[in-house]
């Protein structure tokens, strides 16, 4: 499973910075795909709890649209 976390307010994506390991937001989908993909729903929920407002984000399942 490949999940991305996106803000409903700013449309930015949550990701781990490759420079310092901090969790941050980016408007770049490319950066989010490189550094923000989460493999487990529980991990996504924990990131939202720690770094975003619950209900203020959506979790995008990149594999859901596959045929």
């Amino acid at each position: 499973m490949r999940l991305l976390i996106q803000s409903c307010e700013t449309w930015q994506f949550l990701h781990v910075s490759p420079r310092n390991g901090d969790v941050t937001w980016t408007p770049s989908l490319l950066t989010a795909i490189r550094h923000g993909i989460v493999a487990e729903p529980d991990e996504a929920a924990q990131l939202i709890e720690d770094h975003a407002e619950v209900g203020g984000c959506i979790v995008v399942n990149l594999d859901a649209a596959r045929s």
Side-chain angles (χ1 to χ4, degrees), residues 2-57:
R2 297 175 307 148
L3 306 170
L4 285 177
I5 300 166
Q6 186 175 26
S7 168
C8 292
E9 187 175 318
T10 65
W11 303 109
Q12 293 190 33
F13 300 93
L14 196 63
H15 75 97
V16 177
S17 171
R19 292 191 177 131
N20 59 16
D22 288 344
V23 177
T24 188
W25 294 93
T26 182
S28 169
L29 179 57
L30 182 58
T31 299
I33 289 172
R34 286 182 179 160
H35 306 292
I37 291 180
V38 178
E40 298 295 328
D42 291 340
E43 185 180 356
Q46 189 63 53
L47 283 167
I48 292 168
E49 184 177 319
D50 293 345
H51 302 284
E53 282 191 38
V54 175
C57 295

